[in-house]
Amino acid sequence: MAHVLETGLEFMDSNNPHNLPMVRGYNIINGKLTNSSDGNTFKSINPANLTDNLGEFPLSTRNDVHDAIDAARTALTGWAATPAPTRGQIIGNMGRLLMEHKEELVRLQAREIGKTLKECGGEIQEAIDTCLFFQSEGRRLYGQTVNSELPDKELFTYRRPLGVCGIINACNFPSAVPFWKMIPAIICGNTCVWKSPQDSPLLSFALARIMHQSGLPDGVINLVHGKGSGAGQYIVDAVDEGLINKISFTGSTAVGKAIGEVCGRNLVSCSLELGGKNPLVVMPSANIDNAVEGAYWGGFGTAGQRCTSLGNLILHEDIYDEFMDKFMAKVETTRIGDSLHQNDVLYGAMLSEKYAIDFLKGLQMVDSDGARKIWGNGRISKENTPDNFLGNPSEGVYMWPHVYVDVTEEMECFHEEVFGPVVTVVKAKDFDHALHLANASPYGLSSAIYTNDRLEAYRFKTGIKAGMTGINNSTTGAEAHLPFGGVKGSGNGTRESGIWVIEAYSYWHAVNDELSGKLQLAQMDVDEIEIDEAEVDWSCLT
Ligand code: UN1
């Protein structure tokens, strides 16, 4: 078994018509490259070019996942005892290596999931920002000294690691989101088993290799590939077996609830970042051109495949016509294509065929609700191509941008997330109605309002039930050092990023140090200070 750093990538013979490299991918367990125990594999296909197979990866078995958990358990004691500033130094090295290889990683990510080069650049940068933030957190990770109520006694708090963390993320943010999870996990002294997304295994492999190259000891992060219903499920099952101390999951609300139930019955901590039906409100005082830009980007950037993407566009009736004219002028000329070969595209392929199929099912729901479609025609093909599609549509999985109007609160599509390039437009009578609509879906992840009325902005900020709010900004684009997460159906209240995420990967340990040499009982042996009963007549001063 080769160590992950001893071997370069192993290339396979490919029939790839584009002459692109195809590799043999491995799990990384205890720093070793391993295949699945039964030899089964799956492929990673470029969604912008379906004949481009990036490689074959182990379809991990329950045994493989258990090997990874064992490795993480074994590494835990040594890693938790490593000084936090040293852990931070390793994380800093990760950030520097990501910077050094940014361009290759950006291209690899674009090839594997079809996101544009510009967005992949932003995403790798988010992973770098996370590393740089947590490098110095290793020099803080503060506890407190607390005064005791008894003499000659000291109280302290310490942050302690939770143990082995199961990390399960989606492929729409395949580098930033696993870094959001694993970097705070390891700075706190935890170890991880990372189930890489099924549609981005090569990128995950590259990232995990860089982590090891940064000086990370073997077993601290273990990578297993496979399906959510396979390797992902085996990690969750291990919670019931008492082998996992934390799950961090980004994905659908349905799966998140199932994971939450397993963690709940075992009293195991879990971080759940789930779906969203993010509202964006436009009020009459807004700068309409700016609002159009924000809504267009929020709805169709990343082909609508962010958990923060715009869902319900809520327009005040007074600006409805003006807004829609300008908005549709942009939607109808959207440049779509593979950014590895075409310039200035807004979005590229869907993340994979599976995401395309699910998106089309979502559109069926919007259609059957009776919402009126004013733009969009499903999957792009040679016979069904919008004007500004660039390239050959039959090479990949591309979707039209879709806009539906006359959407009302009674419709299912008002409430349910449709993951892909679609915006549902809702008309509001006034501010109170707009705020009501913004709060009416079962989700509460991101939200936005465009207004130049400060009181309206204030009322929106205080009245919206959401984890994140943009004022005169789009629903997407959280920075790596603000708390990220939602309320209601969007999560369980945990947060990623910044100092707040530390709470999700550590527990508070309260220590008292009795120096008096005797047993002093808290509450009972505390000196009582009497109030002086002297009568003073304060009225003489008035
Ligand atoms: C996600 O879609 O899971 O705020 C994460 C944003 C990005 C992260 C999105 N920084 O849109």
Side-chain angles (χ1 to χ4, degrees), residues 126 172-173 177 180 250 305-308 475-479 484:
E126 206 165 342
N172 65 331
F173 270 79
V177 170
W180 281 4
T250 295
Q305 298 167 111
R306 291 188 187 219
C307 54
T308 51
T475 50
T476 70
E479 298 185 29
F484 186 100

Side-chain angles (χ1 to χ4, degrees), residues 94-95 97-110 115 117-131 173-176 179 203 207 210:
M94 290 179 193
L97 282 170
L98 290 182
M99 283 185 220
E100 199 179 305
H101 297 292
K102 182 170 174 182
E103 203 180 317
E104 304 97 279
L105 292 168
V106 164
R107 294 184 72 81
L108 167 56
Q109 177 166 312
K115 245 161 89 159
L117 287 170
K118 182 174 179 176
E119 289 203 52
C120 291
E123 190 182 340
I124 301 288
Q125 188 57 46
E126 206 165 342
I128 294 168
D129 295 345
T130 300
C131 291
F173 270 79
S175 31
F179 272 66
L203 180 74
L207 294 171
I210 283 175

Side-chain angles (χ1 to χ4, degrees), residues 123-314:
E123 190 182 340
I124 301 288
Q125 188 57 46
E126 206 165 342
I128 294 168
D129 295 345
T130 300
C131 291
L132 300 189
F133 182 91
F134 282 101
Q135 164 171 19
S136 31
E137 197 53 41
R139 296 197 177 269
R140 287 185 290 267
L141 217 62
Y142 296 139
Q144 294 111 344
T145 54
V146 179
N147 290 302
S148 171
E149 62 195 29
L150 293 158
D152 297 328
K153 186 174 176 183
E154 283 196 307
L155 309 181
F156 310 93
T157 65
Y158 298 91
R159 287 193 181 278
R160 304 292 188 210
L162 299 174
V164 174
C165 305
I167 308 291
I168 307 170
N169 62 292
C171 75
N172 65 331
F173 270 79
S175 31
V177 170
F179 272 66
W180 281 4
K181 296 176 183 304
M182 288 191 281
I183 298 303
I186 63 174
I187 196 69
C188 290
N190 302 285
T191 57
C192 299
V193 176
W194 175 22
K195 206 300 265 168
S196 140
Q198 194 186 336
D199 295 311
S200 54
L202 184 53
L203 180 74
S204 305
F205 180 84
L207 294 171
R209 192 176 192 280
I210 283 175
M211 288 173 152
H212 284 81
Q213 214 181 332
S214 309
L216 191 74
D218 291 345
V220 174
I221 286 178
N222 302 277
L223 172 71
V224 288
H225 298 286
K227 297 189 178 174
S229 56
Q233 186 62 48
Y234 305 146
I235 291 178
V236 176
D237 292 345
V239 173
D240 269 335
E241 294 155 27
L243 300 172
I244 295 274
N245 309 99
K246 163 92 199 179
I247 295 278
S248 184
F249 170 77
T250 295
S252 73
T253 298
V255 175
K257 282 184 176 171
I259 291 176
E261 280 177 26
V262 177
C263 289
R265 68 172 173 250
N266 289 285
L267 307 180
V268 161
S269 151
C270 63
S271 293
L272 302 172
E273 297 303 340
L274 312 175
K277 184 78 183 180
N278 308 298
L280 184 150
V281 170
V282 186
M283 295 301 292
S285 67
N287 174 330
I288 299 297
D289 292 335
N290 191 26
V292 165
E293 288 289 337
Y296 180 62
W297 169 251
F300 301 110
T302 336
Q305 298 167 111
R306 291 188 187 219
C307 54
T308 51
S309 290
L310 165 59
N312 287 329
L313 174 57
I314 301 168

